[in-house]
């Protein structure tokens, strides 16, 4: 809950379990939370329970932004310790801040996107010739919250589409510009609009960074008393603690976990995935990909090409 002491009113009130992302950027606090509609007794309203939750983003300005973000992080730590206790896992004393800082310092930034995307030699310009009025023939998805450089990713290619015919694009490639206009940090809908607007053109230039569709994550955790800093629901990463070992290790909100320590978890029940993560120590290796891409590649969704 966030209170405005001057106006004496509640500005924000969310249960801890609904918070998906928290960050402090200078004097700003950014918080994202899942919001589900409150259904009534009508069949139409009851059906909303099964719909994906909507996201709401709060941005607050405060001289103590860092402390606010840290306090929310500490609340996650308390909730994590309660989770361990409820599941019969050994109850550790709370981790001293210095202990966790030492663990954090030992966790290198895995797959440093800022460094990778800054290298011009890793980028390539792809010229896609096509007929006027023809769509590009791609499906794009978000790279996932937690990415150092948020972009859109090619999740599917129409087999006979213009993008596939050029032979230089692959599923997993991250698009950082179209016709010289940067897409970095833009909402997915805006990126889709830029691509749709290229329908009238006969040539489209994409600047991409070739990437595999599967993202590798590497987290170093010496003991279960150190929280990983993210939560999972049915194999999908739904929240991430800003500045934690998971974020530095490459975990991204909205990704589907494919493997944990070389063990496939695609068909593994939610409870077993949570227990596997809660009890894993040492070097934890995971493979993930954007959930929308996973559903497309496994035939759970029909691609809608643009």
């Amino acid at each position: 809950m966030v209170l405005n002491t001057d106006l004496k009113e509640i500005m924000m009130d969310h249960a801890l379990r609904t918070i998906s992302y928290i960050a402090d950027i200078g004097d700003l606090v950014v918080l994202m939370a899942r919001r589900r509609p409150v259904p009534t007794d009508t069949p139409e309203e009851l059906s909303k329970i099964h719909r994906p939750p909507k996201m709401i983003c709060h941005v607050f300005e405060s001289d103590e932004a860092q402390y606010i973000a840290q306090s929310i992080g500490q609340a996650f730590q308390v909730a994590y310790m309660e989770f361990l206790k409820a599941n019969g896992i050994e109850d550790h004393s709370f981790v001293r801040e210095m202990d966790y800082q030492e663990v954090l310092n030992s966790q290198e930034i895995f797959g440093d996107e800022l460094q990778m995307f800054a290298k011009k030699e890793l980028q390539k310009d792809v010229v896609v010739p096509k007929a006027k009025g023809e769509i590009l023939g791609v499906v794009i998805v978000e790279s996932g919250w937690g990415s150092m450089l948020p972009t859109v990713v090619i999740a599917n290619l129409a087999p006979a589409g213009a993008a596939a015919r050029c032979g230089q694009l692959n599923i997993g490639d991250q698009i950082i510009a179209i016709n010289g206009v940067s897409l970095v940090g833009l909402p997915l809908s805006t990126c889709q609009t830029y691509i749709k607007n290229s329908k009238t053109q006969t040539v489209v230039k994409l600047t991409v960074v070739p990437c595999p569709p599967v993202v590798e994550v590497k987290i170093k955790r010496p003991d279960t008393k150190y929280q990983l800093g993210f939560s999972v629901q049915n194999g999908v990463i739904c929240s991430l603690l800003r500045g934690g070992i998971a974020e530095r290790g490459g975990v991204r909100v909205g990704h589907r976990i494919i493997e944990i320590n070389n063990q496939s978890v695609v068909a593994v029940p939610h409870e077993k995935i949570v227990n596997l993560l809660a009890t894993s120590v040492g070097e934890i290796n995971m493979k993930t990909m954007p959930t929308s891409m996973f559903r497309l590649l496994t035939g759970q969704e029909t691609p809608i090409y643009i």
Side-chain angles (χ1 to χ4, degrees):
M1 180 181 294
V2 174
L3 301 175
N4 186 315
T5 54
D6 295 328
L7 300 177
K8 296 183 180 179
E9 63 180 18
I10 298 174
M11 301 176 63
M12 181 196 75
D13 187 6
H14 291 289
L16 188 64
R17 64 179 179 275
T18 66
I19 297 176
S20 293
Y21 189 72
I22 176 72
D24 59 282
I25 307 171
D27 291 339
L28 298 179
V29 178
V30 180
L31 186 145
M32 292 183 178
R34 302 185 302 280
R35 183 178 63 179
R36 288 189 179 276
V38 179
T40 63
D41 294 333
T42 63
E44 294 80 7
E45 291 297 320
L46 287 173
S47 67
K48 292 182 179 180
I49 298 175
H50 305 290
R51 295 181 184 177
K54 294 182 178 180
M55 299 300 301
I56 184 168
C57 179
H58 299 278
V59 180
F60 301 99
E61 185 176 7
S62 172
D63 293 336
E64 298 183 346
Q66 184 178 7
Y67 297 108
I68 294 173
Q70 287 177 352
S71 66
I72 296 175
Q74 290 169 357
F76 272 107
Q77 183 180 19
V78 173
Y80 175 70
M81 299 304 292
E82 290 299 319
F83 165 79
L84 291 180
K85 186 185 300 182
N87 286 271
I89 300 172
E90 184 180 354
D91 185 18
H92 297 279
S93 58
F94 286 106
V95 185
R96 291 187 301 112
E97 184 176 339
M98 185 58 68
D99 289 340
Y100 188 75
Q101 189 60 47
E102 291 172 358
V103 173
L104 189 61
N105 291 340
S106 69
Q107 172 69 56
E108 70 272 17
I109 298 179
F110 189 65
D112 191 345
E113 292 174 330
L114 289 178
Q115 183 178 1
M116 180 179 72
F117 280 50
K119 294 181 178 178
K120 283 289 185 182
E121 61 269 24
L122 296 180
Q123 302 176 10
K124 71 174 183 179
D125 290 330
V126 177
V127 176
V128 183
K130 66 180 191 65
K132 188 174 182 179
E134 180 186 16
I135 64 172
L136 199 59
V138 298
V139 178
I140 59 172
V141 298
E142 294 173 314
S143 57
W145 300 333
S147 301
M148 292 292 183
L149 197 68
T151 62
V152 290
V153 182
I154 297 177
N156 214 316
L157 295 165
R165 291 199 307 268
C166 80
Q168 299 184 64
L169 296 170
N170 296 288
I171 293 175
D173 288 352
Q174 302 202 25
I175 305 175
I176 59 176
I178 178 170
N179 294 328
V181 178
S182 174
L183 301 184
V184 175
L186 297 182
L188 176 63
S189 58
T190 303
C191 297
Q192 290 172 328
T193 299
Y194 275 116
I195 292 177
K196 289 176 182 178
N197 289 344
S198 69
K199 186 176 180 180
T200 59
Q201 302 171 356
T202 56
V203 174
V204 179
K205 186 178 83 170
L206 300 175
T207 302
V208 303
V209 174
C211 298
V214 175
V215 174
E216 294 193 7
V217 175
K218 185 181 293 184
I219 304 172
K220 293 181 179 179
R221 183 197 203 188
D223 194 283
T224 55
K225 66 182 180 181
Y226 301 102
Q227 61 174 321
L228 288 173
F230 69 96
S231 63
V232 176
Q233 183 64 45
N234 296 322
V236 178
I237 299 164
C238 55
S239 65
L240 178 66
L241 179 62
R242 171 74 172 177
I245 55 176
E247 184 185 38
R248 293 175 67 90
V251 169
R252 302 172 184 179
V253 172
H255 274 218
R256 177 66 160 83
I257 302 176
I258 309 300
E259 288 184 6
I260 301 175
N261 291 332
N262 299 316
Q263 176 184 341
S264 174
V265 294
V266 169
V268 174
H270 167 73
E271 293 76 14
K272 289 189 176 181
I273 294 176
V274 171
N275 186 65
L276 183 59
L277 290 170
T279 57
S280 294
V281 293
E283 187 172 279
I284 305 171
N285 295 281
M286 299 195 305
K287 292 182 179 179
T288 72
M289 69 168 56
T291 301
S292 296
M293 182 188 296
F294 173 78
R295 294 180 63 85
L296 286 167
L297 295 179
T298 54
Q300 299 177 54
E301 287 185 4
T302 303
I304 300 176
Y305 299 106
I306 58 176

